[in-house]
Amino acid sequence: MTIAFLNGDYLPLAEARISPMDRGFLFGDGIYEVIPTLQGKPIGFNAHMARMRQGLEMLEISSPFPADYWRAVVNSLLTKNNELLQSESVGIYIQISRGADATRSHAYPDDLTPTLFAFAFATPPPPVPDASKVKGLHVALGEDKRWQRCNIKSTSLLGNVMHFEQGKREGKQEIILFNRHKEISEASSSNVFIVSNGVIKTPPLDHQILPGITRKLVIECLVKEGILVEETVLPLAELLAAEEVWLTSSSKEIAPVIEIEGKPVGNGKVGKIWQQAIEAFNQHKFNF
């Protein structure tokens, strides 16, 4: 029986209820975070909390709960669900919506109490840090048709869901998106890195790209090892000509891509620079 957190209480997930007038349900008016943990230790907790605060500020949702409050929730959910999940890799989903109002109005209502929700779920184990053993991803390509504020980690994910479904229907594990200028933005649920002429590159942050926490940690971990990452515009043609392509997210960590639209990336095998990246990430990922 999964135990969830809802508005200060811990209860079975199957019994958790919110009002149908909650703006998170009616409008997707809220933000969320997924905090990965490994052997009970959160990865990038402070960075996740900082992004959550920024998201709440951008949506003008008032939340007085500090990071220590959410750290206690994360620890409690790990403890309460330990026997059920029986996994070293666990994700903690946190969602804060603006709350429930008596009427449905597009305008922000005054003085609502935010709805706080969190639950724990088992996640796949981290990738094996061995280029000769890890399985690479096969991905599709698609034109980015989402809204213009993808930098907000909003619960309004319909565009991402539709893109992901497109990739799934094509038999792929993800879909990398490009804008009308044929420049890479991100994937439907991941950030994108490439290795081009031996240089690691990733698109710069803007309103079309989620400031992924794993993206941030990968860059900072590589810098600690003296390896620089260029944040630069990535033309679609450069992606297709890259020696290596990686996708990063809380659940994937650093996932190598070996095929795009049926064509191999580089030599079609996981690359040696990915090996350096995953080793650097594993060495430093708990320090943020």
Side-chain angles (χ1 to χ4, degrees):
M1 179 175 61
T2 302
I3 300 299
F5 169 88
L6 181 62
N7 294 329
D9 296 323
Y10 293 91
L11 70 168
L13 179 59
E15 298 176 14
R17 299 287 185 272
I18 64 167
S19 167
M21 297 303 291
D22 192 278
R23 290 179 62 88
F25 175 71
L26 293 176
F27 295 106
D29 186 2
I31 60 93
Y32 77 100
E33 287 289 332
V34 178
I35 301 175
T37 73
L38 184 62
Q39 298 177 344
K41 298 179 181 179
I43 299 172
F45 178 83
N46 293 329
H48 280 282
M49 289 294 101
R51 185 175 64 181
M52 187 166 77
R53 287 194 302 272
Q54 292 167 0
L56 291 169
E57 290 172 0
M58 285 188 281
L59 294 185
E60 300 179 42
I61 295 176
S62 174
S63 179
F65 302 101
D68 286 347
Y69 177 89
W70 288 110
R71 186 180 289 276
V73 171
V74 168
N75 291 338
S76 293
L77 288 175
L78 289 172
T79 300
K80 294 176 184 297
N81 291 285
N82 181 55
E83 292 186 6
L84 174 69
L85 296 175
Q86 294 184 341
S87 173
E88 291 188 343
S89 301
V90 174
I92 303 295
Y93 179 93
I94 297 174
Q95 178 173 312
I96 302 176
S97 79
R98 195 176 304 277
D101 196 19
T103 60
R104 181 183 181 276
S105 171
H106 283 67
Y108 296 166
D110 295 327
D111 302 323
L112 288 190
T113 300
T115 300
L116 313 180
F117 173 62
F119 71 98
F121 60 99
T123 58
V128 178
D130 186 337
S132 66
K133 296 180 180 179
V134 69
K135 293 183 178 180
L137 301 181
H138 297 232
V139 306
L141 290 172
E143 184 175 356
D144 197 339
K145 298 179 179 179
R146 303 168 301 162
W147 75 317
Q148 299 298 308
R149 294 301 301 276
C150 294
N151 59 312
I152 301 174
K153 198 169 178 67
S154 163
T155 56
S156 305
L157 284 175
L158 183 57
N160 298 70
V161 169
M162 293 176 70
H163 277 306
F164 190 90
E165 180 64 19
Q166 175 191 344
K168 178 183 174 183
R169 290 184 180 182
E170 294 179 16
K172 310 301 183 183
Q173 294 151 302
E174 246 288 20
I175 181 167
I176 294 176
L177 306 175
F178 55 88
N179 62 24
R180 60 190 179 90
H181 302 295
K182 303 292 186 182
E183 297 164 348
I184 301 302
S185 53
E186 55 185 359
S188 68
S189 62
S190 321
N191 291 111
V192 179
F193 287 76
I194 73 167
V195 178
S196 179
N197 295 319
V199 178
I200 304 172
K201 300 181 180 182
T202 192
L205 296 180
D206 60 20
H207 285 178
Q208 277 296 91
I209 295 177
L210 179 73
I213 299 304
T214 305
R215 173 191 182 277
K216 171 183 172 67
L217 299 187
V218 168
I219 292 172
E220 294 182 4
C221 289
L222 287 169
V223 167
K224 283 183 177 292
E225 295 299 309
I227 303 171
L228 299 182
V229 177
E230 287 188 10
E231 297 184 67
T232 184
V233 172
L234 291 184
L236 175 59
E238 188 171 7
L239 171 87
L240 297 175
E243 298 105 61
E244 299 184 31
V245 176
W246 317 329
L247 301 182
T248 63
S249 70
S250 292
S251 59
K252 296 181 182 69
E253 293 197 342
I254 311 174
V257 175
I258 60 172
E259 182 183 286
I260 299 174
E261 293 285 339
K263 297 180 180 179
V265 174
N267 62 7
K269 298 180 180 180
V270 178
K272 63 180 181 180
I273 298 183
W274 174 87
Q275 181 76 54
Q276 293 177 291
I278 195 65
E279 289 174 357
F281 185 73
N282 285 339
Q283 182 174 349
H284 301 291
K285 64 185 178 183
F286 290 115
N287 299 330
F288 298 94

